[in-house]
Amino acid sequence: MAKVSLRIYNREIGTLVDQGQYNEAIGHCKHILKTFPKNLETYRVLGKAYLEAKVYNDAGDIFSRVLTSVPNDFVAHVGMSMIADEKSKGNEAIWHMQRAFEAQPS
């Protein structure tokens, strides 16, 4: 069995998300999290996969977990903003986007 670093594995899963292979990406993320249950990057990728697959409740749960650990996480705030926008919660969407901007003004 070939060994690959977790960083590269997460990057490859991100590529799956970009290619629209959401279920496969979600499966890989869950596999990683069984062994590394605190890996934030895997949670970010999992949240993106759920978001792109339009599974908003699961995406929101995952991004909330990330924000519990890293309250100023850019990716999680952008994801939460997009979820709130999809649910027509404008004020919440703006609030999260403002937090994302504060985390990464560029």
Side-chain angles (χ1 to χ4, degrees):
M1 178 186 288
K3 292 188 178 186
V4 63
S5 74
L6 189 54
R7 179 177 292 140
I8 292 171
Y9 193 13
N10 277 318
R11 194 175 311 138
E12 290 174 359
I13 297 168
T15 300
L16 290 174
V17 173
D18 293 341
Q19 295 172 347
Q21 298 176 7
Y22 310 125
N23 291 332
E24 188 174 347
I26 290 166
H28 283 289
C29 287
K30 288 181 178 183
H31 173 73
I32 291 172
L33 291 171
K34 285 179 186 175
T35 305
F36 303 100
K38 295 181 180 180
N39 187 271
L40 286 175
E41 184 56 30
T42 303
Y43 277 105
R44 286 182 191 104
V45 175
L46 180 58
K48 288 180 191 179
Y50 279 133
L51 182 63
E52 293 294 326
K54 299 185 185 336
V55 184
Y56 298 122
N57 289 336
D58 289 344
D61 176 54
I62 296 300
F63 288 135
S64 292
R65 291 180 193 197
V66 172
L67 290 171
T68 298
S69 296
V70 184
N72 64 343
D73 188 84
F74 176 78
V75 171
H77 276 299
V78 170
M80 293 296 281
S81 178
M82 293 172 74
I83 293 165
D85 187 50
E86 285 294 325
K87 293 182 176 184
S88 299
K89 296 180 178 179
N91 289 337
E92 185 178 334
I94 291 169
W95 187 87
H96 279 290
M97 196 54 73
Q98 288 173 331
R99 301 299 78 77
F101 180 75
E102 289 169 359
Q104 269 188 21
S106 59

